[in-house]
């Protein structure tokens, strides 16, 4: 019924061209006067250029403020018509415009403090009765912070219907300030729960440059960090849009939103700065976002009037959970009908003359030129219950202070400060709903979650949840701006999985990525920001939650590569033994005697021991084995090379010094030659002792070469000792090579020098390759390289020096004669004979 009535009246009033007397409806005499502070106007035009105390003028009407003022008038008329609350007593009202400016609000506030019936003397004693018994309003927090200090100084109750700043919760600083809305702290807690519900932890927060915006943002920033919400940036937008840099400030804010790539913006602002920000975001082509709003702008018609407002994205927000005020819309409709009647207007102006109307200007001159149709949208969405409850809270306190009975109230003089005790302690009931001011002088009725739902270009405020002590959301009713209409992501961090740690990114310490723990580190605790390294004897795979013990790695006996090497070793040993047996059988033959006789058997024994030393490199090493590897290799190789040295000296005497040969050959042949062999072995033995004294090889653990195992390696303690140990054999080999590579035979006689030359050549080639490989290999291939080197050297000596002789013994016995091997060596001629 009410919507149809409003529609009819609105269409009728919209056609009325004559001015009304609505501006005369905001003052009325009574036994007890309530002051009212409402934002009838907005957009001050002469505040910055004001150089003298002239009246501040507002440019345009603020429809919400007008509706709130009408709600106060309705409540007072309702109370005056009541037969139980204040029977026999009438309440009057005196309302003024605040124009959203503290400077404007101060003028009526000072007027309210003057002694009743005067204009120039302030109340300064407990017996003084000021002009008003209590004050309703103002709406904004920054205005209340100014006026509340004034009214608290004189103990005048002030009940705001919209100021939510947490600063006003301090009852010690503002003992006479009350409000019928929750504080910003309750609102912020609701916003935090909403963000956590959808997993939005990378957001921007923007506040208007006033007490409400900055106060709410400050509380939000203090709570967000403890709830794992990271703030991309905190923006401030101007409230005075006429300032020269206001537009640039808005542009900078939009650019920051783009730069941080957030998908969620929390906006604490009143309707005018909110409208400016949304307009600027549309103008600059900001991509669609989720906007979290508050009732300060969510239900206002100003932001919704922005062209193409649907393109901003998804709008979710909180509005105070309020009940309806029965009869208010019909009351407003009847009033708009009455203000067009001459008799009603005449009576209204007569009442105004009793209220000292010359003290301040008419609060709402523009009200005479609007119709009910202009207010139809605001009436359908405006929250008027806070104003209604504020008036009733004063009426109930007055009821108790006067000692009213259900039939009558004595018209006793009541001082304003006497109402405070009753407002602090007692609850009251309005339209069957109970209210009570808490310790911070606030009423916390909870919030509704509202979603801007667009259908065919029409905006509908769709309730999708509520908040009191906990948050309830019906997500199925929310259609986000994403293609699949699911909630967008706005994450700076996510919940890291086991084995991942937080890595700070950007310039926000609370913003991080999840990074896998690398190899050999592990994730030690849930909130750890770094991976813990494993101990040296442990290892861990990527993204591990624990460390594992390393297994030992060396050349195992059962490895395929080891088996292959051992098979080759066995072949080498077999060949060496067969060669030794063959040489032993034919020891007295010219070939064996020319090759060295018994010394060849000694050399073959040294080769056999050298080949057997390959087994020292297989299996788990130890300090003893590490020492034995180098010493056995050096001594065995020296035993073989010492016999080559004797034969090389013999060849050198015959070829280079034929005159001295008869007298010196006895030292390199027959039994005296063993002295030279013994001298070589003794020298190598002394070098081995120096090696053991200066720095023998030792067993070490290599934790870097293999990811999951510890490599057991024989390390060289002293490179000087290592050089002494192995350089002597190289020197012997070099002497043998230089003494034999230029020698050739006479005629068809056998060249004994060629076998030594090729054997030494293979030794040097193998040694060069071994040194290059040994310097680069870091795994068990090091041991493989050492074994392979020993086998190649052994096979090289067998193949180049001994096996050709075995071939002659077995398959060319006719060559095994004295003629082929006696005096068969001569120097290679330098020129043709």
């Amino acid at each position: 019924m009410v919507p149809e009535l409003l529609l009819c009246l609105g269409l009728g009033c919209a056609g009325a061209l004559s001015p009304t007397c609505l501006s005369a409806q905001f003052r009325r005499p009574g036994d007890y006067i309530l002051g009212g502070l409402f934002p009838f106007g907005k957009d001050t035009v002469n505040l910055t250029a004001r150089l003298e105390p002239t009246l501040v003028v507002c440019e345009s009407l603020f429809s919400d403020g007008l509706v709130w003022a009408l709600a106060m008038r309705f409540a007072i008329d309702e109370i005056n018509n009541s037969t139980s609350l204040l029977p026999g007593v009438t309440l009057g009202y005196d309302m003024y415009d605040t124009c959203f400016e503290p400077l404007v609000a101060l003028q009526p506030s000072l007027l309210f403090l003057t002694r009743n019936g005067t204009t120039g003397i302030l109340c300064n004693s407990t017996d003084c009765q000021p002009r008003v018994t209590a004050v309703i309003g103002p709406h904004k927090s920054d205005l209340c912070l100014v006026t509340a200090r004034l009214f608290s100084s004189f103990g005048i109750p002030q009940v705001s219907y919209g100021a939510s700043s947490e600063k006003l919760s301090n009852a010690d600083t503002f003992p006479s300030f009350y409000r019928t809305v929750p504080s910003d702290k309750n609102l912020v807690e609701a916003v935090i729960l909403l963000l956590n519900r959808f997993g939005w932890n990378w957001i921007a927060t923007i506040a208007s440059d006033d007490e409400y915006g900055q106060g709410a943002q400050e509380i939000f920033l203090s709570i967000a960090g403890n709830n794992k919400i990271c703030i991309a940036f905190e923006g401030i937008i101007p409230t005075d849009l006429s300032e020269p840099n206001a537009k640039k400030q808005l542009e900078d804010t939009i650019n920051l939103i783009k730069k941080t790539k957030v998908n969620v913006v929390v906006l604490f602002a009143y309707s005018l700065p909110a409208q400016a920000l949304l307009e600027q975001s549309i103008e600059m082509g900001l991509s669609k976002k989720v906007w979290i709003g508050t009732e300060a702008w969510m239900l206002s018609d100003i932001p919704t009037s922005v062209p193409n407002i649907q393109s901003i994205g998804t709008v979710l927000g909180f509005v105070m959970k309020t009940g309806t005020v029965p009869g208010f819309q019909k009351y407003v409709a009847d009033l708009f009908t009455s203000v067009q009647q001459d008799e009603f207007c005449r009576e209204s102006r007569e009442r105004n003359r009793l209220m000292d109307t010359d003290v301040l200007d008419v609060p709402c001159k523009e009200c005479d030129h609007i119709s009910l149709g202009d207010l139809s949208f605001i009436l359908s969405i405006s929250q008027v219950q806070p104003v209604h409850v504020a008036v009733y809270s004063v009426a109930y306190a007055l009821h108790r202070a006067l000692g009213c009975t259900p039939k009558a109230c004595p018209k006793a003089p009541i001082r304003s400060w006497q109402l405070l005790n009753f407002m602090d302690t007692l609850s009251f009931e309005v339209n069957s709903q109970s209210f009570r001011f808490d310790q911070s002088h606030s009423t916390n009725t909870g919030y509704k979650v509202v979603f801007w739902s667009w259908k065919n270009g029409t905006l509908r405020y769709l309730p999708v949840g509520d908040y009191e002590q906990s948050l309830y959301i019906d997500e199925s009713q929310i259609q986000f701006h994403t293609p699949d209409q699911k909630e967008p992501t706005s994450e700076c961090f996510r919940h890291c999985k086991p084995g991942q740690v937080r890595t700070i990114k950007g310039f926000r310490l609370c913003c991080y990525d999840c990074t896998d723990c690398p190899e050999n580190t592990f994730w030690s605790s849930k909130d750890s920001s770094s991976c813990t390294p494993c101990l040296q004897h442990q290892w861990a795979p990527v993204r591990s939650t624990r460390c594992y013990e390393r297994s030992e790695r060396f050349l195992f006996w059962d490895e395929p590569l080891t088996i292959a090497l051992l098979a080759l070793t066995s072949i080498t040993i077999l060949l060496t033994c067969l060669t030794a047996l063959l040489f032993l059988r034919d020891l007295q033959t010219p070939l064996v005697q020319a090759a060295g006789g018994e010394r060849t058997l000694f050399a073959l024994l040294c080769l056999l021991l050298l080949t057997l030393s390959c087994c020292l490199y297989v299996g788990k090493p130890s300090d003893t084995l590490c020492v034995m590897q180098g010493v056995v290799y050096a001594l065995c190789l020296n035993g073989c090379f010492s016999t080559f040295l004797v034969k090389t000296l013999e060849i050198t005497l015959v070829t280079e010094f034929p005159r001295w040969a008869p007298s010196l050959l006895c030292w390199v042949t027959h039994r005296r030659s063993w002295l030279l062999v013994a001298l070589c072995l003794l020298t190598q033995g002394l070098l081995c002792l120096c090696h053991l004294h200066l720095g023998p090889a030792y067993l070490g653990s290599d934790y870097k070469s293999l990811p999951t195992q510890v490599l057991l390696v024989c390390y060289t303690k002293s490179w000087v000792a290592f050089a002494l140990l192995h350089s002597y054999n190289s020197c012997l080999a070099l002497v043998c090579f230089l003494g034999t590579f230029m020698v050739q035979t006479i005629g068809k006689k056998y060249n004994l020098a060629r076998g030594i030359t090729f054997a030494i050549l293979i030794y040097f080639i193998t040694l060069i390759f071994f040194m290059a490989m040994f310097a680069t290999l870091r795994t068990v291939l090091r041991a493989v390289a050492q074994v392979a080197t020993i086998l190649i050297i052994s096979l090289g000596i067998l193949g180049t020096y001994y096996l050709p002789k075995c071939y002659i013994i077995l398959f060319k016995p006719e060559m095994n004669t004295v003629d082929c091997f006696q005096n068969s060596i001569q120097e290679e001629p330098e020129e043709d004979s």
Side-chain angles (χ1 to χ4, degrees), residues 98-223:
T98 64
C99 206
F100 288 103
E101 286 294 337
L103 181 63
V104 179
L106 271 177
Q107 293 175 335
S109 298
L110 292 172
L111 177 64
F112 293 157
L113 292 176
T114 59
R115 190 185 298 272
N116 193 18
T118 65
T119 59
I121 302 175
L122 292 173
C123 288
N124 57 5
S125 67
T126 57
D127 294 332
C128 174
Q129 177 60 50
R131 183 180 294 269
V132 296
T133 304
V135 178
I136 306 300
H139 174 255
K140 290 185 68 176
S141 296
D142 50 353
L143 272 62
C144 286
L145 285 171
V146 175
T147 59
R149 295 183 186 275
L150 284 175
F151 297 134
S152 294
S153 300
F154 298 95
I156 299 177
Q158 177 186 4
V159 188
S160 174
Y161 50 88
S164 58
S165 173
E166 183 63 18
K167 293 179 181 179
L168 294 167
S169 298
N170 191 340
D172 294 332
T173 306
F174 309 104
S176 69
F177 177 81
Y178 300 84
R179 56 184 167 197
T180 53
V181 293
S183 72
D184 287 337
K185 186 176 181 181
N186 300 104
L187 174 64
V188 166
E189 289 172 349
V191 172
I192 294 291
L193 289 177
L194 178 66
L195 295 174
N196 286 333
R197 175 65 177 269
F198 290 104
W200 295 327
N201 52 42
W202 178 236
I203 65 161
T205 172
I206 302 174
S208 53
D209 191 11
D210 52 32
E211 179 57 37
Y212 167 72
Q214 292 187 1
Q217 187 183 70
E218 183 179 349
I219 299 172
F220 179 78
L221 294 176
S222 65
I223 298 178

Side-chain angles (χ1 to χ4, degrees), residues 202 204 206 232-233 251-263 265 280-287 289:
W202 178 236
I206 302 174
F233 78 97
E251 291 175 352
D252 293 342
T253 302
I254 300 300
N255 287 328
L256 279 173
I257 296 176
K258 291 181 178 180
K259 183 178 180 180
T260 54
K261 299 180 181 180
V262 295
N263 289 326
V265 181
Q280 192 64 40
S281 66
I282 296 172
E283 180 182 334
M284 295 178 64
L286 181 67
S287 59
K289 308 291 181 185

Side-chain angles (χ1 to χ4, degrees), residues 634-635 637-639 641-642 645 675-688 720-736 763-764 767:
L635 287 174
L637 196 61
N638 184 268
F641 283 173
S642 63
L645 178 64
L675 294 175
L676 185 58
V677 172
L679 180 63
C680 291
L681 284 172
L682 179 62
T683 305
Q684 184 65 62
L686 292 175
L687 292 175
C688 289
V720 174
F722 180 84
L724 288 175
L725 182 66
H726 295 284
S727 61
Y728 181 60
N729 283 331
S730 298
C731 291
L732 291 181
L734 183 61
V735 171
C736 293
Y763 164 75
F764 278 121
L767 188 64

Side-chain angles (χ1 to χ4, degrees), residues 571-584 604 806:
I571 294 173
T572 307
I573 292 172
L574 179 62
L575 290 175
T576 305
C577 292
L578 291 175
T579 302
L581 290 174
L582 185 61
F583 269 56
L584 180 63
L604 287 170
C806 293

Side-chain angles (χ1 to χ4, degrees), residues 452-472:
W452 278 16
S453 176
W454 294 92
K455 190 173 184 180
N456 299 326
T458 303
L459 174 63
R460 185 164 65 101
Y461 299 98
L462 182 64
V464 293
D466 59 70
Y467 167 79
E468 285 187 11
Q469 298 299 324
S470 60
L471 179 67
Y472 165 75

Side-chain angles (χ1 to χ4, degrees), residues 534-569:
C534 294
L535 298 178
Q536 192 177 40
H537 63 277
Q538 296 176 328
W539 75 279
V542 175
R543 197 169 153 183
S544 178
T545 58
R546 55 167 292 191
C547 290
Y548 303 90
E549 293 295 324
R550 288 178 178 266
S551 60
E552 293 180 338
R553 184 69 173 103
F554 45 85
L555 194 60
F556 294 100
W557 288 98
D558 56 352
E559 288 188 60
L561 188 57
T562 305
I563 295 173
L565 290 174
L566 291 177
L568 185 60
T569 302

Side-chain angles (χ1 to χ4, degrees), residues 226-466:
N226 296 328
N227 287 271
K228 299 182 180 180
I229 295 175
C230 195
I231 310 300
F233 78 97
E234 311 100 50
I236 299 294
I237 56 177
T239 54
D240 186 359
L241 302 177
S242 63
E243 293 181 359
N245 62 341
K247 185 174 179 61
K248 185 179 184 305
Q249 197 170 349
L250 291 171
E251 291 175 352
D252 293 342
T253 302
I254 300 300
N255 287 328
L256 279 173
I257 296 176
K258 291 181 178 180
K259 183 178 180 180
T260 54
K261 299 180 181 180
V262 295
N263 289 326
V264 178
V265 181
V266 179
L267 178 57
F268 298 105
Y270 284 111
S271 54
L272 289 175
Q275 177 190 19
L277 180 68
L278 296 177
E279 283 181 342
Q280 192 64 40
S281 66
I282 296 172
E283 180 182 334
M284 295 178 64
L286 181 67
S287 59
K288 292 184 177 183
K289 308 291 181 185
V290 176
W291 297 83
I292 307 297
T294 65
E295 63 181 326
W297 65 271
M298 277 285 296
L299 299 182
S300 174
D301 64 332
I302 295 178
T304 56
S305 64
V306 175
N308 199 25
I309 188 65
Q310 300 97 315
S311 65
I312 65 172
T314 303
V315 179
L316 278 171
F318 293 89
V319 297
M320 193 176 64
K321 189 186 295 183
T322 60
T324 59
V325 179
F328 174 64
Q329 291 186 343
K330 185 178 184 305
Y331 172 83
V332 174
D334 293 341
L335 180 61
F336 268 88
T337 302
S338 299
V339 295
Q340 298 181 64
Q341 300 172 5
D342 294 337
E343 182 62 25
F344 180 83
C345 291
R346 185 185 60 80
E347 292 177 357
S348 299
R349 295 186 180 99
E350 287 294 331
R351 285 196 303 267
N352 281 351
R353 293 191 183 95
L354 302 175
M355 294 291 294
D356 296 330
T357 56
D358 295 333
V359 176
L360 286 176
D361 199 3
V362 177
C364 184
K365 291 181 178 180
E366 296 84 357
C367 294
D368 292 340
H369 301 283
I370 66 170
S371 65
L372 182 60
D374 298 327
L375 297 180
S376 59
F377 178 75
I378 297 299
L379 282 171
S380 65
I381 65 171
S382 183
Q383 304 274 5
V384 297
Q385 190 190 40
V387 182
H388 193 252
V389 173
V391 176
Y392 267 88
S393 67
V394 176
Y396 272 98
L398 189 60
H399 172 91
R400 290 155 182 161
L402 291 173
C404 296
T405 64
K407 294 183 180 181
C409 288
K411 294 183 180 181
I414 292 295
R415 304 292 180 257
S416 298
W417 57 268
Q418 292 177 313
L419 302 179
L420 298 178
N421 183 55
F422 299 103
M423 297 184 70
D424 285 341
T425 57
L426 300 175
S427 61
F428 55 96
E429 189 174 290
V430 182
N431 294 329
S432 302
Q433 186 177 356
S434 181
F435 296 90
R436 186 188 188 99
F437 293 112
D438 57 23
Q439 292 181 348
S440 62
H441 292 179
S442 306
T443 59
N444 188 8
T445 56
Y447 295 94
K448 289 189 299 183
V449 184
V450 174
F451 166 64
W452 278 16
S453 176
W454 294 92
K455 190 173 184 180
N456 299 326
T458 303
L459 174 63
R460 185 164 65 101
Y461 299 98
L462 182 64
V464 293
D466 59 70

